[in-house]
Amino acid sequence: MFPPLCCDSGVDQASRRRHHQSRKMAMLSFWRDGLERQLAAVTAAMDTLQRQIDRDAQSDS
């Protein structure tokens, strides 16, 4: 991530580090949530397709 654009001399290094880490955690959680939604959509599409394949195989028999 990028360093802060303006450093506040009144805030100690540990506090800035904690703030940076919490923002990074929020960003990573946001990315993970999006990926989980995409994975759920792909999984649902695959399940639906498999049911259709199974149904078509039974009707051909």
Side-chain angles (χ1 to χ4, degrees), residues 28-46:
L28 292 171
S29 295
F30 177 78
W31 287 355
R32 183 190 59 197
D33 292 346
L35 290 170
E36 285 177 344
R37 281 190 299 273
Q38 290 178 347
L39 180 59
V42 169
T43 301
M46 290 174 67

Side-chain angles (χ1 to χ4, degrees), residues 12-22:
D12 64 297
Q13 182 67 25
S15 177
R16 278 186 291 202
R17 181 174 170 82
R18 280 191 304 274
H19 178 71
H20 173 76
Q21 287 176 331
S22 70

Side-chain angles (χ1 to χ4, degrees), residues 23 28 36 44 54 61:
R23 294 210 28 163
L28 292 171
E36 285 177 344
D54 293 344
S61 299

